[in-house]
Amino acid sequence: MNNLFQSELKVINIGLKSFKETLDKQNVKSVHVDWRPPLFTDDKVMSIIKSNTDKIEAANKQAIQKILNSKPFIVGMGKALDVVPGMKKNLLLHAGPPVTWENMCGPMRGAVIGALIYEGIVDAPEKAEQIAASGKIEFSPCHEHSAVGPMAGIVSPSMPVFILQNDEYGNKAFCTMNEGLGKVLRYGAFSSDVIERLKWMEKILYPSLKKAIEKIGKIDLKNIIAQALQMGDEVHNRNRAATSLLYRTLAPSIIQTTDDKEIAASVLEFINRNDHFFLNLSMGASKLSLDAARNIEHSSIVVVMARNGTEFGIQLSGTGDKWFTGPSPIPDALFFTGYTKDDANPDIGDSSITETNGLGGFAIAASPAIVQFVGGSTKDAINYTLKMYEITAAENNIYKIPYLNFRGTPTGIDVIKVVEKNILPFIDTGVAHKNAGVGQIGAGVLSAPAEPFIKAIVGLANQIK
Amino acid sequence: MNIIGIIKKGEYYDSISIMLIAKHISEMEGVDDSAVVMGTKENKSILTSSGLMTPDVQPAGEMDLIVALKLKEGVDSKNVLYKIDEIFKATKKSDDGENFTPQSIDGALNVLPDANMAMISVAGRYAGDVAMKSLQRGLHVMLFSDNVPIEKEIELKKFARENNLFVMGPDCGTAIINGVPLAFANVVNKGNIGVVAASGTGLQEVTCLISNAGCGISQAIGTGGRDVRKEVGGIMFIEGIKALTADPNTDVILLVSKPPATEVVEKIISVARGIRKPVVGVFLGASPEFLKGSNIRQALTLEEAAMKAVALSKHDSIESVDENLKSRTSEIEQIAKVEKAKLSLGQKYLRALYSGGTFCDEAQLLCQNVLGEVYSNIPFGSSKKLKDSSKSEKHTILDLGDDEFTVGKPHPMIDYSTRNKRIISEAEDPETAVILLDIVLGYGSNMDPLVEIIPVLKEVKKITVQQKRYVPVVCSVTGTDKDPQNRTAVVTALGAGGVKVMESNAAASMLAISIINR
């Protein structure tokens, strides 16, 4: 104990802030902890967790290794019906945890209507609603088919998808091509111009890209994401750099493999004009890495965070395919002129898979350019990222943040840390209008809701005991 | 009377914010009484007993914040609630643009990797877990929080002992480590006297008296009051003694506590036996024979203990202390004589209103020996319990820092309002012969006590002059001139206001007693 008397007193102050101020006045080195009570304090559950700490930590180490070692590549393209596992003609995939037509929010219903028109199953929105409610159309989460989709996240059988492969573990993931901003299917728009664009993407964009990718062989997504983080993207709400890097990779091959110059130009221009073209791929790369860490017994690492616009759901490595859900919150957003929070749909989309993988909101310190857009100062952005280190199991080995001296992004959300520290994952995201077909009305930030994390820790404890 | 209550659902505020909010609200125009509390069962029953309960706040859960208000007649509640909302907004104001504040011990260790002390003041039911986590990270712990279960305290202290760490507390309000005053503590001289104390105000009093006598403190280790009980077995009290024994900068060891459990006394005596440094002990309430046969020199008051430690640290004789105290007693009697002459017939009783719990105990002991029957809300020794803490009976000695006075309000060392009201009502009582007070300075306490107390003393004078009486006010001021409030400044101003200021609580108590003792 005497070493205390012999050394300089340095204090961690947890609780009353005035004690820290007193120490400051005396020039004593100290740091204040903005402590809050745990989310959940059920003794039974927490004692199971505590008594298994060693096993959980070992399992988490394994899960983290898999996430960090994953090597996501684009290896090709195909039609969803042909390549996505379990895909069939009367199946539509959607974002988030499972949801029935009755419980679907406006934008997701709009996207379902659009997809049914696009597939030629119906020719009018009213008929689409009827058939969607009839039970003839099945719905299933993208996540249960190795896929991810932004916002409504609808994947229908004829849609072209990128095929991604994890070179380290061999697993695959699938994602659609991003449609751009404005009135688009993923925000629930289904007017004729939306359908026409989807058709153009299927008939013109897809074949051209497919050939170009075949020529290239495979495209290293991890490399593009790592570079993009150093160019001001966090690859969720800002994908400008990543899209540009992908464009540079694709352009020569597109020109070489597309016979018609006009078509080649239109394809390149489509990618060039859509800063979010890379979003679906950053999501797919994240999905691929996190899927590799699934089903590790005892692991408390979150492998999915996803929202269907009604509910927010998560899955843990150690609890198999179980979803833990709670109501999805409405983001705290900056709205485009003419819109308010009253118009906003609850948070929606699989894009929070990026945060789950240590990107997006978790890497926002790398992306000062969008901080103002999501409401805040540069320092806020840095603080958001710093806070996420509190609830993650590792620092990324490849994804680095220049401002933080190239510290790796906080990676691998540990549900136990979330619950014990009462710090919820931070997500930066787009906001959809609550009515079908209106589209994006703002962008903002939110903390994940507590309920899924509380249910998940209970689920993990039940699994362990 | 207009009583209203609102629930702030699921809003967590740390206790200092709640205290600040409570203070702002209590100062609002039109608010007669108020409480701001988390909606725990205990707090709700306290609201009920203090008449602030309304059906509106009954459903509040323990994660909800309750604001209960008693409004003056004719006050517009809408207006008041609007202002309260503003107060809440002001406290919630985000750390916009501020540096990163970690939210856990691990996060803090990233920022300050070589931290060696965790100061914990979160709500009691969580504090134990936070303390354990700190110990596991190799940090010494000062546990300011109270209401930590005793089983948890034992678990923490056993773990700490095995790992050569301190756990000061729970309910440890003060300590001085490496010259740094922690929580409620005074800025004292550095020196060669080391203190182990199971009493917060006791620690403050002895360290200030030592410093004011020109000596100084090497370390002052608080253990929390329960440490010396049988269940905990004095784990940290003993560890503290051992640490001071080994500390080359400590020449004299001073122990402060209420009488420990018998087993613990035996342990203390046996540890002390092996120490070559002189040891002084004050165990308030223990008989003068308590430490007979041990090598611990016993003192009966905090002041005597401090003076004996001072004498030993200067290699003076202990007997000189007895002589000095004796001559001081005759000085006190001189002052008392003058004051006594000014009292009217019927002024018979002592009314002591304390903010420091240990002072309340000490005053009761001194009073019992001379005046006999004494009443208190926290009876000590032979005192009787007050039927109603809000009404004094005969000789009454109150601890206003006790929970029943502080729920939803800051401690009386910070917020003088409760005691100020009580001073006025004691002054109005024709049977009051002396009002006895303590003022505790230092970090953590009110930064401007004169602003709080001087207007009340003027009011006392006004009331008593009107009623053709004189009520002497006797007071001790615990603090030093290095404290941010500056003791000399406070003492001078009080003296100018007609208060008899004494150098210690023991001396102030003795003066009050002598004035009454006819």
Side-chain angles (χ1 to χ4, degrees), chain A residues 1-20 22-23 25-26 28-39 41 50 376-377 379-380 382-390 395 407 417 420-423, chain B residues 12 14-16 63 96-112 114-122 126 129-130 133-134 139-140 144 164-166 177-178 180-184 219 221 239 243-244 246-247 249 443:
Chain A
M1 292 209 207
N2 281 315
N3 61 358
L4 174 65
F5 298 162
Q6 254 72 67
S7 36
E8 185 189 347
L9 189 70
K10 292 184 183 175
V11 182
I12 294 178
N13 183 50
I14 309 143
L16 305 181
K17 204 166 184 185
S18 59
F19 290 161
K20 151 85 175 149
T22 303
L23 293 168
K25 278 185 203 144
Q26 304 175 82
V28 175
K29 276 193 191 145
S30 67
V31 52
H32 181 69
V33 173
D34 183 14
W35 184 89
R36 49 200 66 198
L39 276 178
T41 51
K50 267 181 199 156
S377 65
K379 212 156 197 180
D380 290 335
I382 291 153
N383 289 348
Y384 285 135
T385 292
L386 288 174
K387 205 192 234 186
M388 292 304 106
Y389 287 108
E390 297 261 18
E395 297 184 6
R407 189 173 175 187
K417 291 184 176 175
E420 280 185 346
K421 298 185 182 178
N422 191 349
I423 301 173
Chain B
Y12 176 76
D14 61 47
S15 49
I16 197 80
M63 297 295 273
D96 200 22
E98 259 184 38
N99 286 327
F100 175 65
T101 309
Q103 285 189 297
S104 68
I105 294 159
D106 289 338
L109 280 169
N110 269 334
V111 181
L112 194 64
D114 51 351
N116 46 19
M117 171 79 67
M119 217 158 111
I120 300 166
S121 50
V122 303
Y126 307 113
D129 285 342
V130 175
K133 191 135 238 174
S134 307
L139 299 165
H140 298 280
F144 182 84
N164 274 322
L165 296 167
F166 279 122
I177 301 296
N178 300 350
V180 179
L182 296 173
F184 285 76
Q219 306 286 346
I221 300 156
E239 292 303 307
L244 293 179
D247 176 29
N249 297 320
Y443 286 114

Side-chain angles (χ1 to χ4, degrees), chain B residues 310-364:
Chain B
V310 164
L312 289 164
S313 89
K314 295 201 286 199
H315 305 289
D316 285 351
S317 75
I318 285 268
E319 290 70 34
S320 68
V321 174
D322 294 336
E323 279 160 31
N324 289 344
L325 288 175
K326 211 179 267 171
S327 72
R328 215 264 313 272
T329 305
S330 52
E331 276 169 40
I332 286 176
E333 276 161 5
Q334 289 303 316
I335 307 171
K337 219 177 186 176
V338 178
E339 294 298 309
K340 202 186 297 194
K342 298 188 214 163
L343 297 186
S344 314
L345 216 65
Q347 281 184 267
K348 293 184 283 193
Y349 296 124
L350 171 66
R351 299 292 154 82
L353 308 174
Y354 278 110
S355 59
T358 309
F359 291 155
C360 180
D361 295 341
E362 189 177 51
Q364 288 183 62

Side-chain angles (χ1 to χ4, degrees), chain B residues 7 19 68 117 177 198 216 252 276 300 320 383 416 469 473 511:
Chain B
I7 300 179
M19 283 154 87
M117 171 79 67
I177 301 296
V252 179
R276 294 182 178 275
L300 297 180
S320 68
S383 297
Y416 281 49
R469 270 184 292 118
V473 178
L511 174 57

